[in-house]
Each structure stands twice: as structure tokens, then as C-alpha cells.
Amino acid sequence: QVQLVESGGGLVQPGGSLRLSCAASGFTLDYFNIGWFRQAPGKEREGVLCISSSGASTYYADSVKGRFTISRDNAKNTVYLQMNSLKPEDTAVYYCASNRFSRCSSSSPGAFGSWGQGTQVTVSS
């Protein structure tokens, strides 16, 4: 069964850090772009960051530039989202998803598939 599983979410104070993991099972991540998305209550799902199969990063959300980074470890079949200097407005359910386009050009959730179940990130004092 092909699936992505997110983990690493939790409750963190403003200014804190979290590292989310997106682990693949049933397929090899090597040839896939992996995107991180988030959805806050009452809002549409938005793209955050994407890493291409070649390792190039593309920021979808200007609000996370300088704070979030994305990386991949193909040996572990896992992609990571490192989130630093977290703000209350980062609170959301975070999802990862995949596609096989040549680059992370599209930030549309419709361009991605094999969605995970999501992991909750709450930034609050």
C-alpha cells in the first residue's frame, strides 16, 4: 500500500522549533517531489515548501522563508520539515504529499497525491 505518514507535530511555545517527518511506505521517494502543506481551521489548504527529487527546495509560502527548511534522506525514505521561530499563525494541520513532475512548480494541492493523514502543530503560550 502506497502511503505517506507524517509525524513530529505537537504543542510548542512561540519562538520554538519542531521537526516534522514524512515517511513513505510502499514506494521509494527518490523519484518524487514532496510538498508540505498546512490547513488552519476555517482556511484553505496552502502550500508551504516543496523539495524536488533532485533536492531543490521551493518555497510556496513567503511567510515561512528564513524560518522553515526542507530536506530529504532517501536512505530513510523520509522528508523533513524543520520549523524554527514558530509563530501562533503557524498553527495548523501539516500534510505531506507527492508528485512526479519535473520540478516543484505548482503549489496547488491538486497537483499532489498520496496525501498523509496530517500532524497537528499548535503554537501557543
Side-chain angles (χ1 to χ4, degrees):
Q1 183 178 0
V2 174
Q3 63 176 351
L4 295 170
V5 179
E6 303 94 338
S7 62
L11 173 64
V12 63
Q13 292 186 342
S17 298
L18 282 174
R19 188 178 78 159
L20 305 184
S21 298
C22 172
S25 64
F27 70 107
T28 302
L29 280 180
D30 297 34
Y31 306 109
F32 288 81
N33 305 322
I34 301 297
W36 280 99
F37 295 79
R38 64 186 181 185
Q39 188 165 18
K43 294 188 177 181
E44 293 186 353
R45 192 168 297 188
E46 67 166 348
V48 178
L49 261 168
C50 179
I51 188 165
S52 71
S53 57
S54 63
S57 301
T58 300
Y59 283 89
Y60 291 151
D62 289 340
S63 62
V64 306
K65 288 181 179 179
R67 300 188 298 123
F68 291 12
T69 57
I70 191 170
S71 62
R72 64 192 301 153
D73 186 338
N74 288 343
K76 295 183 177 180
N77 220 23
T78 301
V79 169
Y80 302 100
L81 181 67
Q82 179 66 45
M83 306 186 296
N84 299 327
S85 302
L86 282 161
K87 303 176 180 180
E89 51 264 43
D90 295 317
T91 295
V93 178
Y94 283 71
Y95 302 88
C96 62
S98 66
N99 68 36
R100 293 197 66 173
F101 298 152
S102 59
R103 292 173 294 178
C104 294
S105 302
S106 176
S107 62
S108 169
F112 288 79
S114 299
W115 290 85
Q117 83 291 345
T119 185
Q120 176 71 48
V121 172
T122 302
V123 184
S124 175
S125 55

